Amino acid sequence: MKLDRRPSRSPVFFLIGSLCALLAGASESAARGRTPLSPGLWRAWLESPGGELPFGVELQEDKGGWRAFILNPPERLAVARVTLEKEKGQLLFDMAPYDSTVRATLGADGQSLDGTWRKRRDAKTWVEMPFHARRSAGGEARRFQADPAAAGVPAATLAERWAVTFSSDKDPAVAILATQAPDRVTGTFLTATGDYRYLAGNLDGGRLRLSCFDGAHAFLFDARLEPARGAAGAAAAPTLRGDFWSSDRWHETWVAQPDPRAALADTFAQNRWNDGVALADVKFPDLKGQMRSLADPAFGGKARILQVFGSWCPNCNDEAAYLVELDRRYRGRGLSILGLAFEATGELQRDTEQVRRFAAHHHVEYPVLVAGLSDKEQASKTFPLLDRVRAYPTTIFLHADGRLRAIHTGFAGPATGEEHRQLRRQFEAIIEELLAETPSARR
């Protein structure tokens, strides 16, 4: 904590200064016909095809300007850059790692914001959804509006772990739910390609609603708990049956049943390595535009990690934060990490600049190459070392001589709790094993 060592001034001086500032602010606000933006907690939502997709926003003002945090409890996600255009009464959130922005206009009462969330989908199209926010009176507002149909109905009891089937996915999924209060729930869904990050919401009677907005993805889950209906005398479990909406167009259904042993298929066994392709045959430009082969001696080490990722991908951002930690911890012992970015547009100049923003945001010090377009079919052709690119991220562990040690598909991020901790232990055990190899064992 810094100590203020400026000369002390009289209370009268501060009173006069405060009055002058107040009058100046009032004059400026009156000139533009609205009251100033209020710091504090705001209830925000996007207009989704499935209804309101809510999340929290916290605004702070200090000498450096405005700061904002997106709230998906327990996560408090800092917005990369916040700009208040006072004359226009417009607030801009720039979420740099995702090429994503929220631009909203402040209402005349200073208690409302209305605008648009916009995120690049590919070279020519954008996700666009109406954005709204209202200043919360007192503490943090309820995430979802109460369901009138559930008035007076006690909240149901939710199991902590569920086996889930999504209508569009043949692979099993897992839901992890935690009841924080009788009507407040947090959790996430794990799938073979990653997790749905921090979901938060409410349980009204038997209706469960969860949402997440992190600047990249906008998720909305709406489900009903159906009571067990087994035959007379037979054991049965309740069922969650619902809908899932992602951003402005994706919709599918899902069903879940309590299962304390629900698990994903082995995420270390989803991809195959192509021994017929040499590292030297795979080349991509670096962030300076220079063509580099994966066999470049600068990328060598006692243990090697190739990260197949996209700056647009929230799970990749979660993994990048972890890889930065691993780089700092193990680089001195011989670990080499190389990022391979598959981006949204396929336009090298634009994608390179976006990867630079991603790297700066996460303080990435290991090298990154711009590998091509994020489309999985196209990426599989561009990166023939794998049988196919199934998920972003995909993490490849190599021996010092370039031989394969392991391939991991997807990433269980910090929202998954114990699954995340277990994955960290697995990654670090592989790294330690590779670093401990003797030169003779590496051949």
Side-chain angles (χ1 to χ4, degrees), residues 107-347:
D109 60 357
Q111 302 295 303
S112 63
L113 287 163
D114 297 283
T116 303
W117 169 53
R118 197 166 188 258
K119 178 185 180 295
R120 184 182 291 277
R121 183 185 299 277
D122 55 39
K124 297 180 179 179
T125 62
W126 298 77
V127 174
E128 288 192 353
M129 298 175 70
F131 164 89
H132 308 282
R134 301 292 181 263
R135 179 75 161 80
S136 300
E140 187 173 351
R142 195 178 198 268
R143 194 170 182 92
F144 285 86
Q145 304 283 2
D147 183 354
V153 180
T157 300
L158 290 178
E160 293 183 0
R161 197 173 186 91
W162 300 71
V164 181
T165 301
F166 285 96
S167 59
S168 69
D169 195 346
K170 62 180 178 59
D171 292 320
V174 178
I176 302 173
L177 303 176
T179 302
Q180 304 296 339
D183 67 344
R184 190 158 54 89
V185 179
T186 59
T188 194
F189 288 74
L190 293 83
T191 75
T193 58
D195 67 88
Y196 284 75
R197 303 202 75 255
Y198 292 94
L199 298 168
N202 299 102
L203 181 64
D204 291 309
R207 184 185 185 186
L208 174 66
R209 288 173 290 175
L210 299 166
S211 63
C212 171
F213 174 72
D214 56 17
H217 285 164
F219 296 143
L220 174 63
F221 291 84
D222 191 343
R224 305 279 180 168
L225 187 65
E226 300 176 352
R229 290 193 177 93
T239 299
L240 271 173
R241 193 179 304 274
D243 295 272
F244 165 56
W245 290 270
S246 176
S247 296
D248 59 348
R249 63 195 68 187
W250 179 260
H251 170 250
E252 65 179 306
T253 58
W254 57 282
V255 62
Q257 289 192 315
D259 184 349
R261 292 173 293 188
L264 301 178
D266 185 359
T267 49
F268 279 95
Q270 302 304 304
N271 271 107
R272 295 192 306 275
W273 186 251
N274 186 355
D275 286 318
V277 178
L279 291 176
D281 296 333
V282 182
K283 301 177 182 180
F284 302 117
D286 62 18
L287 298 186
K288 295 181 180 179
Q290 180 180 348
M291 210 63 149
R292 308 283 293 275
S293 122
L294 301 194
D296 190 315
F299 305 146
K302 294 181 181 178
R304 304 171 67 178
I305 292 177
L306 303 179
Q307 183 205 24
V308 175
F309 78 99
S311 66
W312 46 270
C313 161
N315 290 148
C316 300
N317 278 258
D318 283 339
E319 187 185 49
Y322 177 48
L323 292 183
V324 166
E325 177 187 331
L326 292 179
D327 182 43
R328 291 171 180 167
R329 193 191 317 172
Y330 288 108
R331 187 196 306 172
R333 293 176 56 191
L335 175 66
S336 170
I337 301 176
L338 176 62
L340 305 175
F342 290 83
E343 292 300 298
T345 74
E347 298 172 357

Side-chain angles (χ1 to χ4, degrees), residues 48 172 203 411:
S48 159
L203 181 64
F411 186 73

Side-chain angles (χ1 to χ4, degrees), residues 1-5:
M1 180 173 61
K2 291 185 178 180
L3 296 177
D4 189 348
R5 301 188 183 278

Side-chain angles (χ1 to χ4, degrees), residues 376-392:
K376 289 180 182 178
E377 183 176 348
Q378 182 63 39
S380 298
K381 297 176 182 177
T382 306
F383 190 67
L385 286 163
L386 296 178
D387 60 329
R388 56 178 292 207
V389 174
R390 285 179 165 79
Y392 296 102

Side-chain angles (χ1 to χ4, degrees), residues 22 54 72 80 85 103 109 264 275 301 350 378 439:
L22 181 61
N72 297 290
E85 300 176 4
R103 183 179 292 275
D109 60 357
L264 301 178
D275 286 318
R350 181 264 157 206
Q378 182 63 39

